[in-house]
Amino acid sequence: MGRPITKELKNIKNKPIVEKNLDVAHSVIQYLNDKTGKHFKPQSAATRKFINGRIKEGYTQEDFIRVIDLKTKQWLNRHEFSAFLRPSTLFNATNFENYVNELVTPKTSKRRLLVAPVLDFNRGDEYAINSELVESKTSF
């Protein structure tokens, strides 16, 4: 994907940084449009302002993609929320930070190892053995 042509690139001291940010903005908006079926313009000043603000805060293109994926999964098929799948909502400073933190999942899962009970048919149907003797409901 080529770089978008913009007037912004003329006479700028930090030209490589600006070019990189424009590439990120273009890629992010294109991805958002692909996921939502909408037609946001990557060259929009307001859209670039939101994206560049988050880049200056240290967020990466991958962060933008993950937020878009999360919110489209949650909102795309819900009429009352699908209107919020827009740059001003997704990439707003407060919202974006919340959405990125929503993505954090616990690293350790609390799974229990389930062991099937071993039945001792010699003792009758009132007993099951699973590392210790367990009495049935009829016992007091």
Side-chain angles (χ1 to χ4, degrees):
M1 186 181 313
R3 293 184 180 151
I5 299 171
T6 65
K7 293 178 185 177
E8 236 180 79
L9 295 179
K10 294 181 181 177
N11 301 324
I12 294 181
K13 294 178 185 176
N14 299 332
K15 198 172 186 176
I17 293 170
V18 171
E19 287 178 350
K20 179 182 177 221
N21 290 355
L22 288 174
D23 285 345
V24 170
H26 184 75
S27 298
V28 166
I29 296 303
Q30 185 61 48
Y31 187 77
L32 177 62
N33 288 337
D34 290 346
K35 293 288 278 189
T36 62
K38 297 182 180 184
H39 304 285
F40 295 107
K41 295 180 181 178
Q43 60 269 38
S44 163
T47 298
R48 284 196 321 250
K49 178 182 167 190
F50 286 117
I51 293 173
N52 288 338
R54 302 308 68 79
I55 291 171
K56 287 178 183 175
E57 292 172 356
Y59 292 106
T60 65
Q61 182 173 343
E62 290 75 26
D63 293 323
F64 288 96
I65 300 301
R66 289 194 336 251
V67 166
I68 291 169
D69 287 342
L70 173 73
K71 289 302 166 188
T72 54
K73 183 178 178 183
Q74 292 175 346
W75 293 349
L76 188 60
N77 296 319
R78 296 182 65 190
H79 180 69
E80 66 273 18
F81 291 108
S82 64
F84 297 110
L85 290 170
R86 59 186 178 213
S88 62
T89 301
L90 297 175
F91 310 140
N92 171 291
T94 304
N95 295 347
F96 193 78
E97 182 178 10
N98 291 334
Y99 300 153
V100 168
N101 286 316
E102 198 176 322
L103 297 171
V104 177
T105 56
K107 293 182 180 180
T108 59
S109 61
K110 296 180 180 179
R111 292 186 181 178
R112 290 180 32 208
L113 180 60
L114 298 178
V115 178
V118 177
L119 301 177
D120 184 355
F121 293 104
N122 294 329
R123 301 197 75 177
D125 59 355
E126 293 196 18
Y127 294 94
I129 299 175
N130 185 10
S131 74
E132 67 181 60
L133 193 60
V134 179
E135 294 187 14
S136 71
K137 297 177 195 174
T138 57
S139 300
F140 294 101

